[in-house]
Amino acid sequence: MIRPIIAGLAMIFAILAFAGVSPAAAEGQPGEDLEALVARALADNPEIKAGEERVSMAMEKAGQAGSLDDPMLMLKVQNGLIRDPFAFDREAETAKVIGVSQAIPFYGKRELRRQGAGRDVDVEKLRLAEQKLELRRMVKEAWYGISAVDRALEVLEKNIGALDDLLHFSETMYGVGKGLQQDVLKAQLERSKMEEMRIDLQQKRRSLTSVLNTLVYRPVETVIPAIAESAIRPVTLDQEALEKLAEANRPLLQAQAALLAKNQANRDLADREIYPDFNLSLEYMQREQGEMSAGDDMYSVSLSFNLPVQHGRRLAMIAEAGAENRMLHEEGQMLRNRIRLAVAESLARLERNRRLAALYKDGLLGQAASVLETTIASYQAGKTEFMKVLDSQMALFNLEREYHDAVAEYQMQTAVLESLIGTALSGSLE
């Protein structure tokens, strides 16, 4: 009677050890499309919309830059008589005057202000592009995190089934006096630990689902079906090639270049402050005919300008622009250095997880399954203890979890690397 039970148990273990997915996972709903979720996040996320409005604000502000000030309209009575203020024909010098004046900056200043404002628009656009890169990374990390939890739940469900069978068998053996009570208790303990792990994983999935739903700006309780496992895409580019891609595509670096260009416009504008600004005015004087005057109308044209004698202030403006230029240059170098380090660290993590996944897939998983099969055969022949079977099953379970964790971590690091270089490893990001 016992040998058929052991043979049945061996068959169950063999099936579970080599099964790719659990029955529950096989019946799961098809997952959502990652790129569709990314597109939705980029279209609907409030942070992105706020960034778009900042770009609009900068564009409207740029439209104002370089404009002339409003002209000034002047109305006055010139040389009126105090003893008779409304008598305009008693004195030849009395006139009613209307005039207009316009402030005009020195040549080139308006264009430089327009250039500076235009660079502000470029900076805001590039900052928006950087926000989109960051949002894309966050969506992908949440997605692959959910995928890792789904794989862990699949492995867990498979091993819970195996433990249930093992527990039932140990109870049967103990009931007929062929097993030990500690075998039953140990199997029950491992079963309870897996239930605890399932609760933790389900909670983690709910949290990651809420994060992903928040990023795509939809209700946090929106159900995300099981996410299918995706294959590892090897990164073939080296450090130098990735740094060149970052230099060409990373919006944050391009924004720094735009800030330098704006600073250069400010520096040129500071240089032009040594030249005066002008004020042009035109006046028309209407006079009344009287005893002392023929009543001929008159006009006046004048050109005035400031005297740029405050050299200390202007030299300080030039020095300020120079210091800002040096600061921006060093900040750009610091940013490049940080990107270089982050790329190196990301490549190291990618290589580690790629090698781990290959090691698990091509070696450890198969070896652990063989050990389990051999242990079952030995237990069937009465050459080993029940605890060896249980330990072998748990070892296989842990290796399967670690394999899926390595795959998920690799995919997350790929998303991080793409955000660092500003482009997809297989093409440009929109």
Side-chain angles (χ1 to χ4, degrees):
M1 174 181 177
I2 295 175
R3 293 187 64 84
I5 294 175
I6 295 176
L9 179 62
M11 182 177 296
I12 290 172
F13 275 130
I15 292 173
L16 290 173
F18 292 102
V21 294
S22 65
E27 296 171 2
Q29 305 176 52
E32 296 188 76
D33 181 68
L34 174 57
E35 289 304 321
L37 282 176
V38 170
R40 177 167 181 169
L42 295 178
D44 297 340
N45 188 280
E47 187 175 354
I48 299 301
K49 290 185 177 181
E52 291 171 348
E53 292 304 323
R54 280 194 293 271
V55 172
S56 297
M57 288 169 56
M59 292 176 67
E60 295 301 330
K61 190 173 182 179
Q64 306 168 38
S67 300
L68 291 173
D69 293 336
D70 291 333
M72 298 292 293
L73 177 66
M74 181 268 291
L75 301 172
K76 70 177 180 178
V77 175
Q78 181 172 296
N79 299 325
L81 298 175
I82 293 179
R83 66 175 182 271
D84 193 358
F86 297 104
F88 299 116
D89 58 353
R90 296 183 59 181
E91 175 59 48
E93 298 299 324
T94 299
K96 292 169 283 188
V97 182
I98 181 171
V100 63
S101 64
Q102 176 67 61
I104 304 174
F106 190 83
Y107 174 77
K109 289 184 178 180
R110 293 172 60 200
E111 177 60 28
L112 288 170
R113 288 173 185 145
R114 280 193 287 264
Q115 289 179 15
R119 294 302 181 181
D120 283 335
V121 175
D122 294 339
V123 169
E124 291 300 334
K125 287 181 177 179
L126 290 165
R127 285 175 178 168
L128 176 60
E130 185 72 18
Q131 281 183 303
K132 290 181 177 180
L133 270 182
E134 183 68 9
L135 180 59
R136 176 183 289 271
R137 177 191 64 78
M138 293 169 67
V139 169
K140 286 190 172 185
E141 284 190 324
W143 171 274
Y144 290 128
I146 294 173
S147 177
V149 173
D150 287 342
R151 302 291 80 71
L153 283 169
E154 288 176 2
V155 173
L156 186 65
E157 292 296 337
K158 181 179 68 173
N159 282 273
I160 284 177
L163 276 179
D164 286 340
D165 292 328
L166 186 56
L167 178 59
H168 177 70
F169 179 76
S170 64
E171 291 172 344
T172 301
M173 296 296 290
Y174 177 68
V176 297
K178 299 296 185 180
L180 301 175
Q181 185 180 22
Q182 69 181 30
D183 295 341
V184 176
L185 295 176
K186 181 64 174 176
Q188 289 174 341
L189 177 61
E190 294 298 336
R191 178 66 168 78
S192 298
K193 287 181 178 179
M194 288 198 171
E195 280 296 336
E196 179 185 17
M197 189 179 298
R198 175 157 59 184
I199 293 172
D200 290 340
L201 286 171
Q202 289 171 343
Q203 176 58 43
K204 184 177 181 180
R205 194 184 198 281
R206 282 194 294 271
S207 297
L208 288 171
T209 298
S210 297
V211 169
L212 184 55
N213 285 330
T214 300
L215 292 173
V216 300
Y217 197 56
R218 65 186 184 185
V220 294
E221 65 274 11
T222 302
V223 176
I224 297 179
I227 297 175
E229 182 177 4
S230 55
I232 284 180
R233 294 179 302 156
V235 176
T236 58
L237 300 176
D238 60 10
Q239 176 80 22
E240 183 179 358
L242 290 169
E243 288 179 17
K244 289 180 179 179
L245 283 175
E247 190 69 34
N249 297 285
R250 183 71 186 270
L252 203 57
L253 288 174
Q254 295 172 359
Q256 198 71 13
L259 285 172
L260 278 168
K262 177 188 175 182
N263 171 262
Q264 185 59 52
N266 290 340
R267 171 65 186 269
D268 294 342
L269 184 60
D271 288 338
R272 286 183 178 269
E273 286 298 320
I274 65 173
Y275 301 109
D277 297 327
F278 303 95
N279 191 287
L280 178 65
S281 63
L282 172 65
E283 298 178 3
Y284 168 70
M285 294 172 283
Q286 190 269 325
R287 299 194 300 168
E288 300 289 343
Q289 185 176 1
E291 297 177 1
M292 306 291 295
S293 172
D296 293 331
D297 294 343
M298 304 178 71
Y299 75 93
S300 175
V301 177
S302 67
L303 177 66
S304 59
F305 51 88
N306 65 301
L307 298 176
V309 296
Q310 301 297 333
H311 296 297
R313 177 173 66 86
R314 289 170 172 81
L315 290 175
M317 292 173 62
I318 294 172
E320 178 188 0
E324 184 181 7
N325 179 275
R326 293 189 295 274
M327 177 195 72
L328 290 171
H329 176 75
E330 294 303 327
E331 285 181 348
Q333 295 301 104
M334 179 176 63
L335 179 58
R336 287 177 176 83
N337 200 39
R338 288 177 178 174
I339 292 174
R340 188 179 302 116
L341 174 60
V343 167
E345 291 178 345
S346 184
L347 280 176
R349 291 192 182 101
L350 282 170
E351 179 63 13
R352 172 185 177 275
N353 286 291
R354 184 193 66 79
R355 294 175 65 183
L356 280 176
L359 179 62
Y360 288 130
K361 185 178 180 180
D362 300 333
L364 292 178
L365 287 176
Q367 292 166 8
S370 298
V371 169
L372 176 60
E373 185 179 8
T374 302
T375 304
I376 292 172
S378 297
Y379 182 65
Q380 180 180 4
K383 296 180 180 180
T384 190
E385 301 174 352
F386 175 81
M387 296 303 297
K388 296 290 186 180
V389 178
L390 182 60
D391 290 342
S392 297
Q393 177 63 40
M394 296 307 299
L396 178 60
F397 165 67
N398 289 326
L399 287 173
E400 287 176 327
R401 283 195 309 113
E402 290 168 4
Y403 165 71
H404 291 299
D405 285 345
V407 172
E409 181 64 26
Y410 183 93
Q411 292 164 329
M412 290 183 199
Q413 279 301 316
T414 300
V416 170
L417 184 58
E418 288 179 342
S419 71
L420 286 172
I421 64 175
T423 185
L425 293 169
S426 56
S428 298
L429 295 174
E430 295 297 330

